[in-house]
Each structure stands twice: as C-alpha cells, then as structure tokens.
Amino acid sequence: MLAADGVRLDAVVRTDEPTTLAVAELDETGSARYRFYERATSAPGLTPEAALAVLPPAVGILHVGSLGLTLEPMATALEAVVEELGGQALVMVDPNVRPWVISDADTYRRRLRRVLARSDVVKVSEEDLAWLEPQRSAAAAARMLLQAGPRVVLLTRGPDGVQVVTGAGDVPVPAPNIEVVDTIGAGDAFSGGFLAWWRGQGLGREQLSDQDAVVEAAAFGALVAARTCERAGASPPYLHEVTPATEGADA
C-alpha cells in the first residue's frame, strides 16, 4: 500500500521485531482513545546510529513527534536526526503528548525543549498544552512556545479550527463544517496537509515569515483533517479529493 501511494522505502530500517500497534477505541461522538502495544516491538528499537545511517542525502522537510519522542531508544534517535537536520530542512514537531506512556516526565520535557529549539513549526493541541503548561491558557501557552525556538505554532482546537501563532500575531482558521465519522488520524492529517501545501508551493523554511502563506497552508491542513474525519479510520484524502487550488501539492 505504501509503494502504491508513491512512498519511497529506501530510508526504512528493517527489523525482525513485531510491528508496533495502536488500538483506537471510539466513543459515541467518534472521538478516539488510544492504547499502544510497544514493548519489544519494531519502532522503539530504532537506534541513533541506524537512523542517521539511512538519512537521504538531501532532506527538505522533517516531521517528528508523538511516541517517537517518548520511547527509547527511538526518542534519542529522532533527537539526533533533528540535531543533524535542524537549520537545513524545515523541521515540524507534533508533541502529541500521551501522558500514560511517559514514564519520566522531566526527561521528556527536557528532550522536548531541546527538539523545539531546533524546530521551525510546532503543531500542538489544546490537550497537549493542558499537560505541558497546565497553569496557562492554551493561547498563552502557544505563544510561550515561540520563545522555545519555532517560528510558527499551529494550535489545533478540534471543531473550533486552528490558531496560527507567529511573531506577527495570531490568526484563527475555521474548521470545515462536517459530519464526523471518527477522529482517528486527524492530527497527523492536518500536519501532512500543511506540509503538502507548503511543499507544493515550492516553499521552504525561509518563507515561514510569510504569515499569509502559513495561514493558507493551515487552512489546507484543516481541510485535509476534515476529510479524514468524514470516513472511518486513519485514511487521509488524495489530492483530487480536496480543493483544486492546491494543484501541484504532494498528497
């Protein structure tokens, strides 16, 4: 399926360990709660040496986050990749905090600060910020993140859309009005849509100072997330299923 969708597998690190699993349980609104089966599985076993060895010679965009910044040695591996590519590639981070998986909160927070210091864009939810900065409102906590390193913070607010936070100010981006089937994969779909639009316009990290472009990319990301929520499972749309205004973007 990956190959059929045009995903290159030359940077895959192969292992004999079983596949890491995420199990989603839905409530009556379609919102998902997750359980993970990660011990002695493939993803957490990624080492810094293996990750750095398979990096392509030229990387334009790097996206990291979630369990990747939580489970060892994978967390150290991805931090090494961010350190290697930060300042060259556009680095986007989605903490996607799963508190019940974090065994050492202080260690996790220190790593996240180091990674954010080398990042350009951070996508963060209200739930993430409630754990990371419980003493602040989501809006205040999102603005605080700008001081950590990234130039753009994308605060996702579920059906209330996205708040684009930059040094130039805050801009709300509404979410499309849809009938939700489930929310599985919505956050990753948003990030993928944002980056696909950015890449499709031929933009790089230098253009992140263009707030209008960032807002337009966020609006496309919100559309991609909405289309994902309209059908079961983590099944983001193909380019032809979204607005033709993004012609040329990779999806």
Side-chain angles (χ1 to χ4, degrees):
M1 291 175 66
L2 288 171
D5 280 344
V7 178
R8 289 172 52 182
L9 304 177
D10 47 333
V12 167
V13 177
R14 301 192 179 276
T15 174
D16 293 328
E17 299 292 343
T19 301
T20 306
L21 298 178
V23 177
E25 300 174 8
L26 303 178
D27 64 18
E28 63 278 1
T29 69
S31 294
R33 291 177 60 87
Y34 297 92
R35 288 184 292 128
F36 302 104
Y37 294 86
E38 80 284 350
R39 292 187 180 181
T41 63
S42 56
L46 181 66
T47 65
E49 295 78 14
L52 293 172
V54 297
L55 278 181
V59 177
I61 294 173
L62 173 69
H63 182 280
V64 298
S66 194
L67 297 186
L69 296 177
T70 307
L71 305 176
E72 291 288 12
M74 177 170 56
T76 299
L78 293 189
E79 184 180 355
V81 172
V82 170
E83 182 66 27
E84 178 74 15
L85 297 178
Q88 305 172 44
L90 190 160
V91 177
M92 184 171 183
V93 177
D94 176 7
N96 198 8
V97 179
R98 308 293 187 186
W100 59 94
V101 184
I102 298 172
S103 59
D104 186 332
D106 290 339
T107 296
Y108 173 81
R109 290 175 184 275
R110 287 194 296 270
R111 169 170 286 116
L112 185 58
R113 284 195 293 268
R114 293 194 299 269
V115 169
L116 290 178
R118 299 286 288 166
S119 70
D120 301 295
V121 179
V122 58
K123 177 265 177 194
V124 66
S125 69
E126 291 178 311
E127 294 78 10
D128 293 334
L129 292 176
W131 187 86
L132 291 169
E133 296 286 349
Q135 305 305 317
R136 293 186 172 88
S137 68
R143 183 146 293 280
M144 282 286 294
L145 285 177
L146 285 181
Q147 302 177 24
R151 297 163 62 189
V152 174
V153 175
L154 303 171
L155 172 59
T156 56
R157 306 174 63 198
D160 293 325
V162 183
Q163 193 82 3
V164 174
V165 181
T166 71
D170 299 1
V171 180
V173 176
N177 187 21
I178 62 166
E179 190 72 29
V180 174
V181 173
D182 67 50
T183 62
I184 299 173
D188 289 333
F190 170 80
S191 297
F194 179 92
L195 292 175
W197 189 93
W198 202 259
R199 180 77 168 181
Q201 302 302 309
L203 304 178
R205 60 190 301 271
E206 298 81 8
Q207 286 75 44
L208 287 171
S209 58
D210 185 342
Q211 189 181 57
D212 291 340
V214 173
V215 169
E216 195 167 349
F220 183 63
L223 176 62
V224 172
R227 294 291 175 265
T228 303
C229 291
E230 287 180 319
R231 50 197 180 195
S235 181
Y238 288 96
L239 185 60
H240 68 267
E241 298 177 272
V242 291
T243 174
T246 57
E247 183 176 357
D250 299 319

